[in-house]
Amino acid sequence: MTLSTANTTAKGRSMKFDVKTAGPAIALILLCIIGFSLNPAFLSEGNLSNLLTRSAFIGIIAIGATFVITAGGIDLSVGSMAAAIAGVMIIIMNNAVDMLGTGVATVLLGCGCSILLGIGAGWINGVLTTKGKIEAFIVTLGTMGIYRSLVTYFADGGTLSLDFAIRGAYRPVYYDSFLGLPIPVWVFIVVSIVGWFLLNRTAFGRYCTAIGSNEGVAKYSAIKVDRVKTITYMIQGLCVSLATIIYVPRLGSASSSTGVLWELEAIAAVIIGGTVLKGGYGRIGGTILGALILTTIGNILNFTDLISNYLNGTMQGLIIIIAVWLQRGDWGKAKASKT
Amino acid sequence: MPDGINDIFSVLQADRISKSFGSVPVLFSVNMDVRPGEVHALIGENGAGKSTLMKILSGFHDPTSGRILFDGEEVVLPPNGGAEMLGIVLIHQELNLAEQMTVEENIFLGRELTKNGILDRQRMQAQVQEYLQDIGLDIAPTARISDLSIAEKQMVEIVKAISRNARVLIMDEPTAVLTEAETEVFFRQVTKLKEKGVAIVFVSHKLSEVKEISDRITILRDGQWIGTKEAGDMSLDAMAQMMVGRELSDLYPPMREADVDADRVLQVANLTAAGVKDVSFDLKRGEILGFSGLIGAGRTSVFEAICGLEPIISGTIHVNGAETRFASVAAARDAGIAYLTKDRKAKGLLLDKKMRPNLTLFSLPKFVKRFGLDIKSEDAALERAVRRFDIRARDPDISVGDMSGGNQQKLLLAKVMESEPQIVIIDEPTRGIDVGTKQQVYHFVTALAAEGVSVVVISSEMPEIIGLCHRVIVMRDGRTTGTLEGDGINETEIVRYAAGLKGEGLE
Amino acid sequence: MKPFSKLGAMVMTGALAMSATLAHADTIKIGVSYPTPTHAWAAGMNWHAEQAEKRLEALYPDVDMILVNSSDPSAQASALEDLVSVHKIDALVVLPFESEPLTDPVLNVKKSGALITVVDRGLSQPGIEDIYVAGNNPELGRVSAQYMKTRLKSGDNIVVLRGIPTLIDNERFDAFMAEMEGSGVNILDHKHANWNRDDGFEVMQDFLSRFPDIDAVWAQDDDIAIGVVAALKQAGRDGDGMFVVGGAGMKETIKAIMDGETLVPVDVLYPPSMIATAMDVTVAAFKSNGPVAGRYILGATLITPENAASFYFPDSPF
C-alpha cells in the first residue's frame, strides 16, 4: 500500500482522533454553558477578561510544564519558584529605586533578573536530574522546599511589598489592555504560539517527544538526551519567570503563600489537555484549554451559592477526573492490531 | 482436511478459523491441529497471520468464524490468558516478565506458594532452582530480571511456562534471541517436554531449526492455510517456497570480490571499554565485515564505544586516517558512522509513533529549514524510503508498534540510512524477520557495499555471516580471537574461535 | 479524666509554691514557644515576642527568656521537652501549633513544676494553663458587623470574604451574621478567600462581575482586604462610598487608616502582639504582688483614625 492510497482507512481513524483531542474543548464549552445558565453575567466582557487574565499565570507555567512532561520529566518546584522569583524581583526593584529611579528602567531590571533567575533555577533542576541522575520528582520536590523557605526567609516570614513609587510604572503590565485584551493575555498568547511552534515544528520539540516516548531510542538516535531534558527545565523556568513578571504588578507583593499549589494546577492543566503524564506525547493547545478549564471551574464556583463552599475542592476534583476520563476512556474502540 | 487429521486424537484443533479486525480480514478459514507429544511448527512470512492464529488458539482473540476444539470438544476459550487454567500457555514474543522482580518471583507470579498465609520463599526457590538446573541455566532464583541478558530472560519465560504444567505450549519465536548454543539447550528441553506428552506449537523464521525440531509444519501465507506437512517430507527450499509463494532464488546475493587495495576507512587499535578488552581491527571501503561470537562476547559493546554511546577507557580510533573519538552519537553520525541497534523495540524505534517521525529522528538536523522542521521534505523522505526499502504498512498513519517485525526492521534500516553514512554497523540485521524480508535485507547490504559504503554486520546467525561477509572477526569475552577471510570463513572455524578452542589469546 | 485533672490541680498548687521560691533564689527562666512564622501575622508575632524579650530582660535583670520556634507540632513537642530538660524553665509561654497533639506535652511541662501560659489557641483539656491570653474571634466578627451597621442602611448590599475553613473562621463569621441579623442589610454571598491576597483578588473580581450593586465588603482579614481593594480599583468600583473592613491589624492597613484612607476606613484588631501581652503577664506572675492567674481575652478593638497611632509598629513585619 502506498502512502497516497490509504485515505479510506485513515478517515475513520482521524475522525475518532478529532473527537478525542476535542475533549477538553467540549468540556470548556460545557462549563461555559453551565456558567452562563447560572448567571448570564458569566459571559460579560469583564468576567471573560478576568478569566483569561487569571488563566495566564497557570497557563504560561503549564506551557513550560508541557515540555518537561512531554520529555518524561516532572517539575514540582514551579509554585515555589514563582514565589521566590517574585520575592527576589521585588527586593531588587526596591533597592534599585535609589539608582535607577522609579521608572521603566527599574522595572526592566526587575524583569531581566526574573528571567535570569527562572532560567537558572530551571537549569539547576535539569542538571540535577540528568547529570546527577536523581529522579525529577525528588529533585524538584527538594527545590520546591528550598525556594519556598527562601521566600519566607527573604520576607522575614511576612510579605515583601513592592515600593509604591515603582507601582505606577509597573502596574500597567497587569492592568492595561492592548486592542481590548489585557497585557497578561497577550503574553499568554505569545508564549502559546512560541510554545506550539517549538513543540510541533522544530527538531527540539521532536526530540522532547522522542525522549518521553523512549529514552533508549532517543539516545541511539543521536539525540543529546541530557541536554534536551535540561533545556525543557530551563523553558519551564523561563515560563515561570514570565508568569511572575505579570503576577507581581497585580498586588505588588510576594509572600510564602504566593504560588502555593501552582505546580499541581499546572500539571493538572497539562494532563487535562491531553498530554500524557509519563511523557512521549504533548499538546500545547490542550494545555491552554486545560488552564482555561481550571480557572473557569473556580470562577463558576464563585458565581453560585448552590454548592457549599466546603465542597469546592470536590467539584474541582470531579471535573478534572471527568475531563480526563472523557479523553482516555476506551469508547468501545476495538483495538485492531494485526500480526 | 489435511493428511487424515482424525487419525490421531488432537488436543487442540482449529477448524476453519477466520478472523477480521474491523473490515480487515487477517485469516481465511485456517485449519490446524496439535497432537500430544508433537512439535508443530507454524511458519509464514511476517504478516501471514501466525501471531493472530496463535492468539486465537490461546484465547487472546476470538475467531470471527470457525470452531476451536479442545480434547475433541468445541470450546470458547476464556480470554486474556484464562486458557492457562486449561493448560494452554502462550509465550509472547515480547517477554512478559516483571523487570524489577526476581526470577523466582516471576515464575510464581500470581500463584505464589504460601505457608500459613506467608510466602514460602524457600520452597519456591528450591523449585525454581530445580527447574533452572533442568534446563541447564546458570542463574540464581534470586537474580533480578533486569540484570539478565535477553537470552536468559527468554529462558526464564520458558521455565515459567514449563512450571505451569502446560499441556499445550505455544511459543512465538522462542529462539529469535538465542545463540546457537542456547538454542540447543532449549531444544533439549523441548524434546523432554515432548516426551512428557506436551503439545508444542512454535513459530520460527529459522527454517533449519524448524526442520530439526518439528514433527509437522503448518504453512500460512497472507492469512491463507497453505498446508500441513510432515517435517521429514520437506526440504528447506520447499518450506521457503510455500511461505513466499514464489521461487526463492538464492537467499544471499552473489558475493562481490572485495577490493584488497581499498582505503581503510576505520582503524581501531587497542580499544578498551566496558566489556571490551584491547580490540583492534580495520575496515575497508566497500567491505562487509562480520562480527561473530556468542551473545555477550562484547561485539555490540565495541561499536557502542566507537559510536559515542559508551565511554572509551583507552585505545585509538582513526576515521579516514584522522584520529578521532566521538563524544556523542551525533558526532559519530556527522562523521558518517551509524549504528543500527539489534534491540528494535527498546532502542530502535518509537513504537507509539508513526513512520515519519521515526524515519527522520536520527538525521533530524537535515530536515530543519529556518528553525522549523520541513514537514514536506520529511514526507518526501518517507515516500522515498517506502519505495527504496519496500516498507509495507496497511495505513501510513499506523503506529510503528503495529507494524510487522520485518517492516519495522526495514524502517529502522531506512532511518539509519537517512543520515547517508559511509560506515554502517548493523547489529543482528535479520532478528525476528521472515525469510522474504531477510533476502531483501541481504540484497540491500550487498548493494550498499557495492556503492562504496563499508558495512559491519554483527550477527549470531552463522549462515548470515558466512553468506554475506568478506571478512569475519570472532570475539570471545571482550577480545577478538580470530579473523577469517575468503574460504577460511566456515562454521567450524567460527565456532572454534567463539568457543575459545582456538584463538590469538590462547597459548 | 476527672481524677487526672484533679491530680493536675494538686500538682499545680505545688508547682506555684515551688516556682515562687525558685524565683527569688535564682534567675527566672521563661520559655516561649510558638510556630515558625510562615505567614505575615506569625512573623509579626515573632517580632513582638523578640521586642518583649528585649524589653522585659532589660527591665528585670533576673528574668531570662528563651524563644523557640518550631516548624510542626511534633517539633514543638520536642522543643518543649528541651525547655524543661536543658533549660529547666520556671514558666512556659506557648502558642500551640495545634490543640490536640500539644496538650500532653504541655501537661508534661506543667508536671515539671513550671507555670503555664497558653496563647491564642487553647489546649484540648481544660485546667492545664494558669494563664490564658487570646484574641477574641467572635468579638472580631461582632465589632465588624457593628461598624457595618453604622455605615449602611436597610436594603444595602454587602459581600463577605471568609478565611480558611476552620473554627476560627466559623466563630468570626457566625458572630458577624448574628450581629447583622435584622439590620435589613443584604448579605449577597460569602466565599472563602483563605486569608490570602490572591484569592481575595479573584473572589472579589467574581463578586464584582456577579453583583452589579455592592455597597461594602467584609474581608475579615487585612491580607484578603488588600486583594479586594485591588479588584475594586481595577473594576473602577472603589468610589461612591464603597468601603472594605478587614481585620488583624497589619501595619500597612493601620498606616493607611492614620492617613485617612476612605476605602479601608477602619480595621478590627486581632493583634499578633498578644504574645507580648502573654509574656508580660507571665513575668508579672513572678513580679507582681497581686494575683495574675486567669483568662485574658483581648478586645477586638475597632481601629479608627483617632486611635490608630497606638497600634502602629512600623518596624514589625506585620
Side-chain angles (χ1 to χ4, degrees), chain A residues 39 41 47 50 54 152 156-159 161 174-175 247 250-251 253 256-257 298-299 301-305 309-310, chain C residues 37-40 43 162 165 170 188-192 196-198 201-203 205-206 209-210 226-227 230 234:
Chain A
N39 190 335
N47 190 51
N50 286 345
R54 253 179 245 173
T152 312
D156 209 1
T159 304
S161 289
Y174 183 83
Y175 288 99
Y247 167 80
R250 181 161 95 174
L251 297 174
S253 62
S256 58
S257 64
N299 182 247
L301 289 172
N302 281 342
F303 262 76
T304 174
D305 43 17
N309 287 334
Y310 302 127
Chain C
T38 52
H39 57 276
R162 304 175 59 173
N170 286 346
L188 296 171
D189 199 2
H190 55 95
K191 292 283 176 199
H192 290 281
N196 175 307
R197 294 180 184 195
D198 289 313
F201 182 77
E202 291 182 3
V203 171
Q205 274 191 329
D206 291 342
S209 303
R210 188 173 154 198
I226 286 173
Q234 183 197 27

Side-chain angles (χ1 to χ4, degrees), chain B residues 352-465:
Chain B
D352 57 344
K353 300 279 175 261
K354 296 172 187 175
M355 287 196 282
R356 189 185 69 197
N358 268 295
L359 176 71
T360 55
L361 194 61
F362 184 60
S363 39
L364 208 52
K366 210 173 85 174
F367 295 94
V368 174
K369 207 168 86 183
R370 271 189 259 112
F371 306 112
L373 285 175
D374 186 354
I375 307 280
K376 266 194 201 133
S377 86
E378 281 192 271
D379 278 334
L382 179 58
E383 223 168 299
R384 272 198 313 275
V386 163
R387 249 186 287 120
R388 183 177 175 201
F389 293 91
D390 187 32
I391 301 169
R392 300 175 201 187
R394 306 199 270 284
D395 155 358
D397 279 333
I398 194 175
S399 293
V400 165
D402 290 339
M403 287 167 51
S404 70
N407 282 310
Q408 286 181 2
Q409 184 68 7
K410 289 194 261 185
L411 180 63
L412 184 55
L413 255 174
K415 168 185 168 181
V416 168
M417 293 317 295
E418 201 57 52
S419 71
E420 294 164 21
Q422 282 312 296
I423 300 171
V424 57
I425 299 108
I426 310 182
D427 203 347
E428 303 290 357
T430 61
R431 170 174 290 175
I433 64 178
D434 62 80
V435 65
T437 311
K438 269 187 185 176
Q439 193 189 26
Q440 287 180 316
V441 170
Y442 296 146
H443 279 268
F444 180 75
V445 167
T446 313
L448 265 187
E451 285 165 24
V453 175
S454 310
V455 185
V456 173
V457 174
I458 303 174
S459 177
S460 302
E461 285 192 47
M462 213 72 84
E464 186 165 282
I465 291 274

Side-chain angles (χ1 to χ4, degrees), chain B residues 11 13 40 44 60 68 96 116 151 181 185 188 206 233 238 248 255 273 282 365 403 412:
Chain B
V11 56
Q13 185 182 345
H40 194 143
F60 284 89
I68 301 283
N96 229 337
N116 307 329
V185 174
R188 267 202 303 268
K206 299 179 179 172
D233 300 345
L248 261 185
M255 180 90 66
D282 293 343
M403 287 167 51
L412 184 55

